[in-house]
Amino acid sequence: MVADTKMVRPLSTTINRRSLSSITILWTTLILMTFLVDLAYSSVSCGNGIKSVGGTVPSGDIFLEYGSGVPLEITCTLQSDTIIVQNLFRDRTDSSNKTKYPSHRIVFYKNAEIVPRQYVTIVNATSAQLRIPNPPAGQDTYYCTLLLDYERRQNESYINSSGDHSYIMSFNGSSMLPTVQDLAYGSETNGSHQLGSQVRVCLNRVYVGYKPAIIRNFTCISDNWVSLRCNWNTSENPIKTTYSLLFRLPGRAGGRIFINCPTDSDIRENTCYWDFDTTPIYRQPYEFYDFRLNGQNVLGNSSTFFNFHHYANIIPASPINITVVDKTESSAMFRWSVGTMTNFPRELIHKIEYKSQWDSDLKHWHSVNTSDVHCSMSLPSNKTNSFLYTMNCQERDNDYYYFNVTDLKYPFAHYDVCIYVRSSLARGEDKWSPPGCITLKTKPSIPRRPPRTDVGSFESLPSRIDKSKRNVFIYWQKIDDSEKCGDSFEYRAYYTSTTEQNETTIHFSDEIFDNYAKFKELSTSVSYNFTVYSSNKEGLSTEYSTIYVPSESQRVEKPTLLTKMVFDQEGVFELSWKNAVNTKLSTADELNYYTLFWCENVSRHPYQCDGYMNWTHVPSSEYRCNVTIFNYNVKKHYQFAISANSRRLVSNGTNSYHQTNCNSSGMVWESCTIQNNITARKVENVWVSVISSTFIGLRWNIECTDRIGLVGEYQIFYCAVAATKNYICNGSMLSKTMTREAAQKDGGFTLLTNLEPYTTYIVSIAINTNYGKGIHSDPLLITTLGLGGWYLKEEYPTSVQQIMKQNFYP
C-alpha cells in the first residue's frame, strides 16, 4: 500500500530543517514511525469482498477453552488510505489541544453493549486492542466501530476509570449498528458524515466453551430382541461438538474392529439404531457389546468406552395369545406365548396383575410374580384338566407358558388380568414389557352369606279388622352386590309350623323386597322363629339368619316418642326417645339395651324403607344418641327406628355366658323430625280429621312440634283459593291463634269454622317461639262438602266428639 503523498511531503520537509532542536527531531521521528506502522496495518481487511475502513486480528470466528487462562484478544485496525481515516488524521487535536489519533475513536461492542474502556488498549495511531482475561462461556458477537464525532455532549460520553474521554453514540435513536456491507466506500467518497454517527469496522463471533465431555448417560435398549437403539445426552457447549458411535463384538472375529453406526444419526441426533435391515445389521446372538463414543470439536477430542450387557437391557413385546384354559369361582388357569422371545437363551420372568369389578380402589392392581413359585415337576405333553386344576406355578411347553392364579376373592365377577414379561437378567421396573391383557368372569357359586339381622329387626302391626291377627315385617341388612355370586339372586324368608301329625310346613313370606319381608295375618298369641337365606341360581347360602318374634303378650314394651333432630351438618342426627313405662332394670342374668336402626330411602316416612339398613346398640340407661351417617347422600331421606331388647344370659358352668332367650319390642319408627335451626322449625304431619260443609277439623303431631318445650303458640292460616289445584288466595288470608296449653289439651286438634260449602281452602300452620316465627307447614288444599254434609275421618276422644256434636252437628 502507498501512503498518501499529501501527508508524507510535509513531514519530510519538517525533518530536513537544521534549525530544529534535537527534541523536535525526536518527536517528529516518533510521528513518522507511527505513520509507518499505520502503513503496515493498512493491509488489514474485514474479509474477502467486504468493504470496510479496517479489520480485526484475528479475523473470523474465535474459539477459546473456558477456564484455560487464555485471554480473548482482538485487535481492531483502521486502513489509513481510506478517506474517512485520512480526514481523521488531519484533525488530530481536540478542544484541549491534546493529540488524538483515529485509534482513540475505536469502540468495541459485545453484542449490543459497549465493552468498558478498561478492557481496551491503544496500540498505535490506527489500532486498538480488546483484551478480556477470563471471558465467560457462551457465544457472543464482538464488534469494533469507528466513532466519527469526537466531540460529544457530556451526558453521552464514554468515560473510563482513569477519567479519559471515550466516545459513544446513540445511532440516532436506533440500537442497530450499521452492517459491514453498509461501510462501502461508495457511500463515503466525500468523507462527510452526520453528527453523532459511527461506522462499524469489523466483527468476530467468539465461542468460549469446552473440549468434548465424557458421556455418562449412555443407554441402549433392545426392542423385543429384534432391534437395538442407543441414546445419549450431551452437555451444553457453546462450541459445536459432535459425537460418533462405534461398536465391536467380543471374540477373536469381532473383537479388534470397531464398526460405525449404520447412518449419521449419531452425529445429527445423538442416537443410533440397528435392526435386521440396517448395514451393519443387529447382532442378536451376542450377549455383550463394546461401545466407543468419540467426541470432537475445534478444542480437542474425547472417547468414552462402554461395556453393554445386551441381554439385561431387552424390553420384550406384550405377551400374546392369552387365553383362559380353565376357571373356577376363585381361580383361573392362563396360557400365553411370548412371540420372538420364545427362543431367548436366558430365562424370562413373568408378572401377572389383576383387579376385580368389586375392588374399592379401581386404580389398585393385585400383583402375582410367577417367579416366586416353581413347579417340582415338568408339565407333561399330554396335559390333563386335573393337572391344570392343581397347578399353581409357572410352567411352559415349547410354545406356551401356563399359570394358575388362585385366591380370587369374588365369584361371578369380572376380572381384568394383565401379564408382563422381562429378561431374568434385567434390573429395575422399567424393563417390563407392555402388558398383554384379557378380561374374564369367574364361575358363580352360592351366596357367600345370608343378610345380617338384629334381635329387634322386626315390626309387628295389629290388624285393624281382627285384633287377634297381626302383620309382621322382618328387616335385614341387604348384602353387597359383590357377595351375590350368581344370577337370579333373591332373599328367602319363611317360618315353619308343625302339624298334629308331626309334619313340618314351610310358610314363605307373602311379600318380599330388598331388605324386608311381610307376613300377613299371623296370630298375636303365637311366637315365631323366622329364617332368612340368600339365594341365587346355584342354591341357598350355607348359613342363615334368624329373627325371633314373640307373641304380643311376651313382647318387650315399645319405646315411645322417637324424635329425629336434623343438624345443619349433613349426615349428623340426634335421636331421642322416651323409655317404656314398665321397663325393668337389668339384673345379673339379664341384659337390656336399645337398638337404633336407620336406612336410606327415596321417600320420607311413612313410606316403607327398602334401602340399605344399618344399626347400633345403645345401653338401656340412655335416652339420647348422636348418629353420624358415613357416605351420606343428600338426595336421599334417612328413616330411623328403635327397639327395646332383653337378652337372658344363662350360665354354662364357666365364667362366660352364652346368649339365649332373646326378646324384643320390635321396631318403632320415628314419630317426628325437628330441624336444629329453631327459626326454621315447622309443624310436620298435618292432616284433616273431620270435614263438613262449614268447618274443617285439623290435627297435627303435638308431641313432635313441642317436644323440646319452645312453642309459644300455634297460628293457623287459611283462605279460599281462586281455583282447585291453586295456591293463590281468593280474598284475604284468615288466621286463628291457639296457645300451647290449648293445643296440648286438645291433643293437637283445632276447628276452622264459618267456611263456605263446596269451597277449596288452603291451610298451613306455623309455630311462634320465643325466637320468632317459624316456617309454615306444607300447605293442604281442602274442599268443604256440600250443604249439610259432614264426614268423620277418624275416631276422637269422647270429649272432642261432644264438642263437635254440641256446636256443629245438625
Side-chain angles (χ1 to χ4, degrees):
M1 182 180 293
V2 179
D4 194 316
T5 55
K6 293 181 181 180
M7 297 182 66
V8 173
R9 188 177 296 112
L11 287 173
S12 301
T13 304
T14 303
I15 292 173
N16 291 329
R17 290 181 182 179
R18 296 180 179 180
S19 58
L20 290 177
S21 65
S22 59
I23 296 176
T24 304
I25 294 173
L26 178 60
W27 174 250
T28 304
T29 303
L30 290 175
I31 294 174
L32 179 59
M33 291 176 63
T34 301
F35 181 72
L36 293 176
V37 172
D38 291 344
L39 292 178
Y41 275 99
S42 64
S43 62
V44 175
S45 65
C46 193
N48 294 332
I50 299 176
K51 293 183 179 181
S52 176
V53 296
T56 56
V57 178
S59 61
D61 295 341
I62 300 174
F63 298 91
L64 297 175
E65 183 178 1
Y66 176 75
S68 64
V70 177
L72 170 62
E73 294 181 343
I74 301 175
T75 300
C76 182
T77 300
L78 305 174
Q79 291 185 359
S80 59
D81 58 350
T82 62
I83 296 175
I84 292 177
V85 177
Q86 289 176 2
N87 289 339
L88 295 178
F89 266 112
R90 293 191 184 101
D91 185 13
R92 296 193 181 192
T93 59
D94 59 11
S95 57
S96 303
N97 245 353
K98 292 183 179 180
T99 301
K100 294 293 183 180
Y101 293 105
S103 59
H104 288 87
R105 300 172 180 263
I106 294 175
V107 177
F108 285 92
Y109 283 83
K110 177 184 179 182
N111 302 322
E113 298 181 359
I114 294 178
V115 177
R117 196 68 178 182
Q118 67 192 63
Y119 297 107
V120 179
T121 302
I122 301 300
V123 177
N124 53 43
T126 58
S127 300
Q129 185 184 63
L130 170 71
R131 188 179 192 276
I132 299 177
N134 296 298
Q139 296 181 10
D140 300 289
T141 302
Y142 285 83
Y143 308 88
C144 68
T145 65
L146 179 61
L147 184 65
L148 301 180
D149 246 350
Y150 188 76
E151 301 293 342
R152 300 293 297 143
R153 294 188 299 271
Q154 184 175 358
N155 62 347
E156 295 176 342
S157 63
Y158 172 41
I159 303 174
N160 64 12
S161 58
S162 63
D164 292 336
H165 289 274
S166 300
Y167 302 95
I168 183 172
M169 75 153 305
S170 63
F171 305 108
N172 296 324
S174 173
S175 62
M176 297 298 295
L177 290 173
T179 64
V180 174
Q181 285 77 6
D182 294 333
L183 308 183
Y185 287 129
S187 63
E188 302 169 348
T189 53
N190 59 2
S192 64
H193 59 271
Q194 295 181 352
L195 180 66
S197 63
Q198 58 181 323
V199 293
R200 184 181 297 175
V201 178
C202 201
L203 63 83
N204 297 86
R205 296 198 182 277
V206 178
Y207 301 85
V208 182
Y210 316 91
K211 293 178 180 179
I214 299 299
I215 300 300
R216 303 189 185 280
N217 54 359
F218 178 83
T219 59
C220 297
I221 292 294
S222 171
D223 182 11
N224 199 34
W225 205 36
V226 296
S227 66
L228 179 66
R229 182 180 294 276
C230 295
N231 297 281
W232 58 94
N233 294 324
T234 59
S235 303
E236 185 176 349
N237 195 340
I239 298 175
K240 182 179 180 180
T241 305
T242 60
Y243 287 87
S244 59
L245 182 65
L246 304 95
F247 75 91
R248 66 182 178 185
L249 301 170
R252 291 185 178 181
R256 300 177 182 177
I257 303 173
F258 276 95
I259 306 171
N260 292 326
C261 183
T263 66
D264 63 347
S265 62
D266 53 343
I267 297 174
R268 292 181 291 104
E269 303 171 357
N270 295 334
T271 184
C272 190
Y273 174 81
W274 300 265
D275 60 24
F276 298 131
D277 295 324
T278 59
T279 304
I281 66 171
Y282 170 52
R283 305 302 178 93
Q284 186 187 54
Y286 289 88
E287 184 172 353
F288 292 91
Y289 284 69
D290 288 326
F291 284 107
R292 185 176 75 188
L293 191 59
N294 294 331
Q296 182 179 13
N297 65 19
V298 298
L299 299 181
N301 302 310
S302 69
S303 292
T304 311
F305 292 88
F306 303 95
N307 180 254
F308 172 62
H309 193 178
H310 179 199
Y311 286 176
N313 289 275
I314 293 176
I315 297 181
S318 304
I320 57 176
N321 302 324
I322 302 175
T323 57
V324 178
V325 177
D326 193 28
K327 62 183 179 180
T328 68
E329 67 273 11
S330 62
S331 67
M333 170 66 72
F334 295 96
R335 182 183 68 185
W336 68 93
S337 61
V338 292
T340 303
M341 298 295 292
T342 301
N343 298 319
F344 186 62
R346 297 292 182 268
E347 183 181 357
L348 296 177
I349 295 176
H350 296 82
K351 177 177 67 175
I352 299 177
E353 292 186 341
Y354 65 89
K355 63 179 178 180
S356 162
Q357 69 180 105
W358 303 122
D359 288 338
S360 56
D361 184 0
L362 295 180
K363 294 182 179 180
H364 175 71
W365 290 77
H366 306 275
S367 182
V368 179
N369 193 330
T370 62
S371 64
D372 292 343
V373 181
H374 297 278
C375 291
S376 57
M377 58 181 294
S378 61
L379 190 67
S381 58
N382 56 343
K383 297 181 265 304
T384 62
N385 286 340
S386 60
F387 182 84
L388 295 177
Y389 293 152
T390 58
M391 190 175 73
N392 61 351
C393 55
Q394 177 187 312
E395 270 298 337
R396 67 174 294 187
D397 55 21
N398 292 334
D399 299 316
Y400 293 98
Y401 288 84
Y402 298 84
F403 193 84
N404 191 32
V405 177
T406 59
D407 297 325
L408 299 179
K409 184 177 180 181
Y410 303 104
F412 200 63
H414 289 284
Y415 279 86
D416 293 324
V417 180
C418 292
I419 303 176
Y420 303 77
V421 60
R422 77 175 183 186
S423 166
S424 59
L425 302 175
R427 296 294 180 267
E429 294 300 306
D430 59 338
K431 299 300 188 299
W432 288 107
S433 71
C437 298
I438 190 173
T439 298
L440 67 102
K441 190 172 186 177
T442 49
K443 285 189 174 182
S445 70
I446 62 173
R448 289 286 182 88
R449 63 176 180 86
R452 289 180 59 224
T453 59
D454 187 75
V455 62
S457 57
F458 68 90
E459 184 179 14
S460 180
L461 299 178
S463 172
R464 294 183 178 181
I465 300 173
D466 185 353
K467 299 301 181 182
S468 66
K469 300 294 183 179
R470 57 178 172 166
N471 294 330
V472 175
F473 294 83
I474 303 298
Y475 294 91
W476 56 80
Q477 183 185 78
K478 59 184 180 181
I479 69 174
D480 190 77
D481 289 342
S482 64
E483 300 176 286
K484 294 179 179 179
C485 301
D487 284 322
S488 303
F489 178 85
E490 62 181 355
Y491 298 102
R492 295 189 182 183
Y494 65 88
Y495 69 91
T496 60
S497 62
T498 305
T499 64
E500 294 181 355
Q501 291 77 23
N502 204 26
E503 295 179 349
T504 300
T505 303
I506 298 177
H507 303 271
F508 287 99
S509 59
D510 297 287
E511 299 175 16
I512 193 161
F513 301 90
D514 278 349
N515 75 335
Y516 72 94
K518 182 178 181 180
F519 295 84
K520 298 180 180 179
E521 302 298 315
L522 301 184
S523 173
T524 58
S525 60
V526 176
S527 299
Y528 296 89
N529 271 307
F530 293 93
T531 302
V532 184
Y533 282 93
S534 296
S535 171
N536 64 19
K537 195 173 181 179
E538 307 302 314
L540 297 175
S541 57
T542 304
E543 299 178 347
Y544 56 88
S545 297
T546 59
I547 301 176
Y548 173 71
V549 178
S551 64
E552 290 297 307
S553 61
Q554 295 176 334
R555 187 165 53 86
V556 175
E557 188 172 353
K558 296 179 179 180
T560 59
L561 307 180
L562 179 63
T563 302
K564 175 178 68 179
M565 180 174 288
V566 181
F567 289 85
D568 293 336
Q569 183 180 356
E570 293 181 347
V572 179
F573 302 89
E574 181 183 272
L575 283 300
S576 61
W577 59 92
K578 186 176 180 181
N579 295 331
V581 176
N582 60 352
T583 299
K584 297 179 181 179
L585 297 176
S586 298
T587 60
D589 62 348
E590 188 177 38
L591 176 64
N592 294 337
Y593 61 96
Y594 295 104
T595 303
L596 279 176
F597 300 88
W598 62 90
C599 74
E600 57 185 23
N601 201 25
V602 177
S603 303
R604 295 181 183 272
H605 186 72
Y607 291 98
Q608 189 65 46
C609 186
D610 61 356
Y612 184 80
M613 178 174 284
N614 208 345
W615 55 81
T616 185
H617 294 155
V618 181
S620 59
S621 58
E622 301 293 329
Y623 61 91
R624 187 184 303 271
C625 181
N626 283 349
V627 174
T628 299
I629 296 178
F630 299 99
N631 300 320
Y632 176 82
N633 189 337
V634 69
K635 295 182 180 180
K636 294 190 176 182
H637 302 285
Y638 290 85
Q639 299 174 198
F640 290 82
I642 189 171
S643 69
N645 313 310
S646 177
R647 179 170 292 167
R648 185 173 297 278
L649 304 177
V650 179
S651 174
N652 61 0
T654 65
N655 292 330
S656 62
Y657 290 85
H658 59 86
Q659 298 176 341
T660 59
N661 297 332
C662 297
N663 198 356
S664 176
S665 65
M667 298 166 65
V668 179
W669 291 100
E670 64 193 62
S671 56
C672 69
T673 300
I674 298 175
Q675 295 291 330
N676 186 49
N677 186 343
I678 295 174
T679 59
R681 191 156 298 156
K682 69 177 183 179
V683 177
E684 303 281 354
N685 302 326
V686 181
W687 68 95
V688 178
S689 61
V690 63
I691 188 170
S692 77
S693 58
T694 58
F695 66 85
I696 296 173
L698 295 178
R699 292 198 69 180
W700 64 93
N701 193 328
I702 189 71
E703 293 294 340
C704 183
T705 56
D706 197 28
R707 191 158 294 178
I708 57 176
L710 293 175
V711 173
E713 59 186 13
Y714 296 91
Q715 195 166 10
I716 300 93
F717 297 91
Y718 61 100
C719 70
V721 297
T724 57
K725 299 182 181 180
N726 193 328
Y727 290 87
I728 301 175
C729 287
N730 184 19
S732 303
M733 174 68 75
L734 305 175
S735 67
K736 176 182 178 179
T737 302
M738 191 174 190
T739 64
R740 172 174 175 266
E741 290 75 18
Q744 286 181 332
K745 180 180 178 182
D746 295 337
F749 173 80
T750 188
L751 285 172
L752 302 179
T753 59
N754 299 324
L755 306 181
E756 296 293 329
Y758 207 69
T759 302
T760 300
Y761 289 85
I762 182 173
V763 181
S764 66
I765 303 175
I767 304 172
N768 293 334
T769 71
N770 297 331
Y771 299 93
K773 293 184 178 181
I775 299 174
H776 285 234
S777 64
D778 296 334
L780 295 176
L781 285 175
I782 309 165
T783 302
T784 56
L785 302 179
L787 188 63
W790 63 275
Y791 175 63
L792 187 66
K793 300 186 71 174
E794 61 183 8
E795 294 185 5
Y796 284 86
T798 304
S799 58
V800 175
Q801 294 188 39
Q802 195 67 25
I803 292 174
M804 291 190 294
K805 185 175 182 179
Q806 291 175 357
N807 293 278
F808 302 107
Y809 291 175

